[in-house]
Amino acid sequence: MTAGGLHDASPILDIDELRVSLFTRRGVLPAIDGVSLKVAAGETVAIVGESGCGKSLTALAVMRLLPDPPAKIVGGAVRFMGRDLAALSDREMQRVRGKEISMIFQDPMTSLNPVVSVGDQLVEAIRWHGDVSRKEAHDRAIELLRMVRIADAERRLNDFPHQMSGGMSQRVVIAMAIACGPKLLIADEPTTALDVTIQAQILELLKELQAKSGMALMIITHDLGVVAETADRVVVMYAGRKVEEAAVEALFERPLHRYTRGLLGATPSASRRRGTRLAEIGGSVPALSDLPAGCAFQNRCPDAFDRCRQAKPSLLPLLPGRTAACFAAEEELLRHAAVVGS
């Protein structure tokens, strides 16, 4: 690992100071404010935060699927295997999307056409990006359904989405996403609509598929239980900015940003003493049109002080392999260093 907590290998995905603005009647709103992150081959990076923090918009920017209007990339770069995706033509991006980069969306039912059999949808996805016959695509579709552990795959090809459970529909969506062997798979809340047992099965499936193919995996979630199960590294976002980044073990052992601490405090865990209440983060993520001066988390932070209200904290390397944008964390580490040094 490098000092920045990234793999030494060249990244598959390199997001550099990405800025996305929303052009609205109320003015131009900064939806993504200078976010940078890298994902290497075979690595799983989780992007976490509450709704409205910019996680999904970051993924949509990578896929060049931002709703335009109102959203536009206004700065930074998104490089995939060295290519700047923003510089590609729409036709070139269509070749990348689905073949080299695939995405699993939150609700599997919105990703599947309700009036087309799952087999025909798989065959279409395979043939769109590959010069193969319908028979070859049909055989590949059966193979994919078996890979995602759908029993009686050949018969299931004729099913329509409404004939499948939520978990099975999500497996079909995953099969479609990996049909062309992508180098990067983006999973946006892949288990949100599923019960706990099916969630675990889907996460295990994603890990198995990654282990076999070596693809990079970027998971977008608000669920730190999912992060603990799947991620190598975690990026925490708040109000459109990256506020902390760390290896998953380090983040759970010692979160630096007060927002990260709040998220962990609100997460159920086996080690929590029975009968103790989960902590709450009071308030909500501020609207983009009403961001406070200084740190965006200041009004919800138990440790905020004057500096937090006056200036935006920069993302700094506060510990080896750790970055955070938090004045309270800086002060805490300085106090700790003074005690140790005295």
Side-chain angles (χ1 to χ4, degrees), residues 129-160:
H129 291 290
D131 184 17
V132 296
S133 68
R134 186 164 184 85
K135 172 67 167 64
E136 289 171 320
H138 179 271
D139 293 343
R140 173 64 173 158
I142 294 172
E143 179 189 357
L144 285 164
L145 290 189
R146 287 173 178 158
M147 284 175 66
V148 298
R149 298 196 208 136
I150 290 183
D152 201 4
E154 193 162 359
R155 182 180 65 81
R156 283 294 190 175
L157 280 181
N158 299 315
D159 284 357
F160 289 84

Side-chain angles (χ1 to χ4, degrees), residues 8-307:
D8 293 325
S10 297
I12 292 285
L13 179 68
D14 183 357
I15 300 175
D16 183 19
E17 287 293 320
L18 175 67
R19 297 180 186 277
V20 174
S21 290
L22 303 181
F23 291 79
T24 73
R25 292 177 181 177
R26 304 178 70 177
V28 180
L29 308 178
I32 305 293
D33 186 7
V35 168
S36 298
L37 65 90
K38 299 181 182 184
V39 190
E43 181 185 27
T44 300
V45 174
I47 305 180
V48 303
E50 295 164 283
S51 296
C53 285
K55 310 183 301 298
S56 294
L57 270 184
T58 300
L60 291 174
V62 172
M63 296 295 289
R64 288 257 306 261
L65 290 174
L66 286 170
D68 180 10
K72 286 186 180 179
I73 296 176
V74 295
V78 179
R79 300 184 187 92
F80 174 72
M81 300 182 69
R83 291 174 292 172
D84 184 358
L85 296 182
L88 300 182
S89 68
D90 289 343
R91 188 182 182 90
E92 289 170 326
M93 190 63 204
Q94 282 179 357
R95 294 196 196 103
V96 171
R97 195 188 298 124
K99 183 176 182 181
E100 298 182 74
I101 308 175
S102 283
M103 186 166 176
I104 302 167
F105 294 92
Q106 291 187 29
D107 182 359
M109 299 312 291
T110 62
S111 302
L112 297 172
N113 189 328
V115 298
V116 179
S117 71
V118 297
D120 283 347
Q121 292 185 63
L122 275 167
V123 166
E124 182 183 0
I126 294 163
R127 297 192 73 192
W128 177 261
H129 291 290
D131 184 17
V132 296
S133 68
R134 186 164 184 85
K135 172 67 167 64
E136 289 171 320
H138 179 271
D139 293 343
R140 173 64 173 158
I142 294 172
E143 179 189 357
L144 285 164
L145 290 189
R146 287 173 178 158
M147 284 175 66
V148 298
R149 298 196 208 136
I150 290 183
D152 201 4
E154 193 162 359
R155 182 180 65 81
R156 283 294 190 175
L157 280 181
N158 299 315
D159 284 357
F160 289 84
H162 72 269
Q163 295 174 285
M164 294 185 157
S165 66
M168 199 171 290
S169 296
Q170 189 66 298
R171 289 169 190 270
V172 172
V173 170
I174 292 170
M176 292 177 69
I178 65 169
C180 298
K183 299 286 192 301
L184 170 66
L185 179 62
I186 301 173
D188 187 357
E189 301 280 10
T191 61
T192 295
L194 308 175
D195 67 50
V196 175
T197 304
I198 304 300
Q199 280 185 24
Q201 292 174 5
I202 294 296
L203 294 176
E204 187 61 34
L205 174 61
L206 287 174
K207 288 194 288 186
E208 282 184 18
L209 294 171
Q210 182 186 39
K212 288 176 183 175
S213 66
M215 68 183 177
L217 181 58
M218 188 164 86
I219 292 184
I220 294 162
T221 183
H222 66 280
D223 187 341
L224 285 168
V226 169
V227 173
E229 286 292 320
T230 59
D232 300 308
R233 194 156 42 85
V234 188
V235 170
V236 182
M237 287 187 67
Y238 188 77
R241 301 186 77 206
K242 182 168 83 170
V243 297
E244 184 162 0
E245 181 174 4
V248 66
E249 298 88 354
L251 187 96
F252 276 77
E253 184 178 327
R254 189 181 185 183
L256 297 178
H257 199 284
R258 275 32 184 183
Y259 177 57
T260 311
R261 290 187 181 181
L263 290 177
L264 285 168
T267 302
S269 70
S271 61
R272 188 181 298 276
R273 220 172 48 241
R274 191 170 180 178
T276 58
R277 289 175 59 87
L278 293 175
E280 278 184 37
I281 306 176
S284 58
V285 181
L288 295 176
S289 58
D290 193 30
L291 293 174
C295 176
F297 189 59
Q298 59 175 276
N299 294 333
R300 308 173 71 191
C301 180
D303 297 332
F305 54 101
D306 287 346
R307 189 181 175 196

Side-chain angles (χ1 to χ4, degrees), residues 254 256 258 261 303-308 316 318 326-339:
R254 189 181 185 183
L256 297 178
R258 275 32 184 183
R261 290 187 181 181
D303 297 332
F305 54 101
D306 287 346
R307 189 181 175 196
C308 306
L316 300 174
L318 299 185
C326 180
F327 292 136
E330 289 179 40
E331 294 288 331
E332 179 181 76
L333 290 171
L334 284 172
R335 288 195 301 270
H336 178 73
V339 169

